[in-house]
Amino acid sequence: NAGVTQTPKFQVLKTGQSMTLQCAQDMNHEYMSWYRQDPGMGLRLIHYSVGAGITDQGEVPNGYNVSRSTTEDFPLRLLSAAPSQTSVYFCASSRQGGLDGYTFGSGTRLTVV
Amino acid sequence: SQQGEEDPQALSIQEGENATMNCSYKTSINNLQWYRQNSGRGLVHLILIRSNEREKHSGRLRVTLDTSKKSSSLLITASRAADTASYFCAATGNSGYSTLTFGKGTMLLVSP
């Protein structure tokens, strides 16, 4: 049982480049979320999904896009990378959203130069 | 926002001692959850306490919730070096259960 799998683990981008952070879960969870973690800031919600085909914005959505074509996958797209997007990104999934615990991936450490 | 705020920001204790971390939140909640994050790793769900519960136990963990003070505490008894990690509280609001809002965390260092 793999849980939540994030790829890649590390990435360096140049300013202006685009890329997709991958997230997949094998627990048949309906709820999935993307967070970014910055020093001293805790985790901030970027986008979330309550099921295939349904997404919504979180606290810090600017510069990011998401889609949810299947229950398993929830990719996060950086449209035009900026140094302010240097962060650690976590994907998480849950069966009942905030009504039970979330399972987190191991994270993607992104540096934008 | 249901943001939790942990206190203290950092805590340093010896093995065998108890560690207590506190969390305050702003508005009414459905539940409050605690997570652990080891350095460089993802978060791990520890325990969930619902708004109609006052105390919950799981192994060496004890969580209390005081909805009148909008606060929660996490007690780790008989701490071990392996408990060294950051601990986060996260709240689910009463309207809309889709997401969690996290605090900034307490960094716990347990020395042998």
Side-chain angles (χ1 to χ4, degrees):
Chain A
N1 191 347
V4 178
T5 302
Q6 289 185 241
T7 56
K9 293 191 183 304
F10 302 93
Q11 183 70 49
V12 178
L13 286 179
K14 293 183 178 179
T15 297
Q17 286 184 320
S18 63
M19 80 159 294
T20 299
L21 307 185
Q22 301 291 344
C23 176
Q25 53 91 9
D26 61 358
M27 298 170 286
N28 201 33
H29 285 172
E30 290 294 329
Y31 295 82
M32 298 186 74
S33 298
W34 275 102
Y35 291 89
R36 60 177 289 173
Q37 185 177 32
D38 302 294
M41 298 292 290
L43 279 84
R44 292 182 292 169
L45 181 67
I46 305 171
H47 286 285
Y48 66 98
S49 170
V50 301
I54 307 169
T55 64
D56 206 345
Q57 296 181 351
E59 181 185 355
V60 289
N62 292 342
Y64 307 95
N65 271 355
V66 292
S67 60
R68 183 97 179 270
S69 56
T70 67
T71 299
E72 293 78 21
D73 300 300
F74 191 41
L76 178 72
R77 296 183 186 84
L78 279 70
L79 308 174
S80 178
S84 61
Q85 294 179 304
T86 293
S87 187
V88 182
Y89 291 85
F90 289 100
C91 179
S93 74
S94 169
R95 189 172 305 281
Q96 300 183 62
L99 298 182
D100 66 1
Y102 270 79
T103 301
F104 278 77
S106 57
T108 294
R109 186 174 294 274
L110 175 69
T111 302
V112 182
V113 299
Chain B
S1 171
Q2 306 292 327
Q3 185 176 30
E5 292 290 341
E6 293 90 344
D7 171 62
Q9 291 186 346
L11 181 61
S12 182
I13 60 174
Q14 300 290 121
E15 264 191 331
E17 294 180 337
N18 295 341
T20 300
M21 288 159 269
N22 303 298
C23 170
S24 61
Y25 56 91
K26 295 177 181 176
T27 58
S28 62
I29 60 170
N30 175 279
N31 67 73
L32 190 132
Q33 305 179 25
W34 286 89
Y35 289 78
R36 182 188 74 233
Q37 183 181 33
N38 292 92
S39 180
R41 309 291 292 273
L43 280 73
V44 174
H45 180 255
L46 295 176
I47 195 165
L48 180 154
I49 186 165
R50 304 191 192 284
S51 60
N52 61 353
E53 298 175 310
R54 291 297 166 258
E55 187 171 312
K56 204 163 184 179
H57 297 255
S58 177
R60 293 184 296 112
L61 305 180
R62 172 179 169 248
V63 170
T64 61
L65 180 65
D66 187 336
T67 53
S68 67
K69 295 181 180 178
K70 293 185 171 56
S71 67
S72 173
S73 66
L74 172 67
L75 169 67
I76 304 174
T77 59
S79 295
R80 306 165 181 169
D83 294 326
T84 293
S86 291
Y87 292 81
F88 295 87
C89 67
T92 296
N94 258 335
S95 58
Y97 305 135
S98 303
T99 64
L100 295 174
T101 304
F102 284 84
K104 297 179 182 180
T106 292
M107 190 175 303
L108 173 66
L109 174 63
V110 183
S111 302

